[in-house]
Amino acid sequence: MPPSPETPEPVGSAGGRPRRLFVLRHAKSAWPEGVADQDRPLGARGLRDAPAAGSFLAESGAPPDLALCSPARRARRTWELAAAELAGPVPTRHDPRLYGADAADLLDVLHGVPDEVATLLLVGHNPGLEDLVLLLAGRAVGDALDRVRMKFPTSAIAVLTWSGTWPDLRPGDALLTHLAIPRGTHGSS
């Protein structure tokens, strides 16, 4: 079940504005011969799972104010299919810094998010996304942190909250409220 506005109180800078970060790993991709890594499409499972990720986001209580997406084809297509499940459009930026980024690079990207963005969606790749979640999460609800440590599979969505500003976000500041692994049905296209 998606997180609700009643999720436990975020950690981080005292007195700061509440923030929420959705970290979405692209859906399962195909590996066609002779296709550059950045141009790899989604596979059949990815085409089913990406809309399920969008359904999770739609049920989360507050859509993202902004989506930052890797320019890789599989990440862009994941977000297109997920975004189609939302009630309205979400401003989206395809940021080349997200392709191949490690956790430190991703944190630098987060530090540049405009202050008016309360809820951000980051769409990208492993191992950077998994490492970012582990870097930011100072604590977690239930076993979410242990589950991320075990595996952050394709289409996984981590939900992190804290209070403060984007430039002030530091390792351990966030509460990992949820780890979802949305899966589509085999009857979907």
Side-chain angles (χ1 to χ4, degrees), residues 10-11 16-21 65 113-120 160-167 169 175:
V11 294
R17 182 175 178 197
R19 307 287 176 169
R20 183 158 52 162
L21 173 63
D65 300 314
V113 172
D115 189 56
E116 62 270 12
V117 174
T119 301
L120 177 72
L160 297 138
T161 62
W162 77 96
S163 293
T165 66
W166 294 101
L169 178 60
L175 170 67

Side-chain angles (χ1 to χ4, degrees), residues 51-124:
S55 294
F56 172 86
L57 293 170
E59 296 169 8
S60 71
D65 300 314
L66 175 66
L68 296 178
C69 184
S70 163
R73 180 179 176 189
R74 60 194 180 275
R76 288 191 331 262
R77 186 65 176 141
T78 297
W79 175 230
E80 288 168 6
L81 293 169
E85 301 298 315
L86 302 177
V90 173
T92 301
R93 295 183 193 151
H94 295 96
D95 190 328
R97 297 175 298 169
L98 301 182
Y99 179 74
D102 63 19
D105 296 330
L106 293 169
L107 185 56
D108 284 344
V109 169
L110 295 177
H111 285 161
V113 172
D115 189 56
E116 62 270 12
V117 174
T119 301
L120 177 72
L121 171 69
L122 196 61
V123 185

Side-chain angles (χ1 to χ4, degrees), residues 20-44:
R20 183 158 52 162
L21 173 63
F22 291 106
V23 178
L24 169 59
R25 183 177 174 198
H26 67 77
K28 185 73 172 172
S29 60
W31 293 82
E33 191 172 322
V35 174
D37 183 71
Q38 201 162 9
D39 296 327
R40 287 178 25 226
L42 291 181

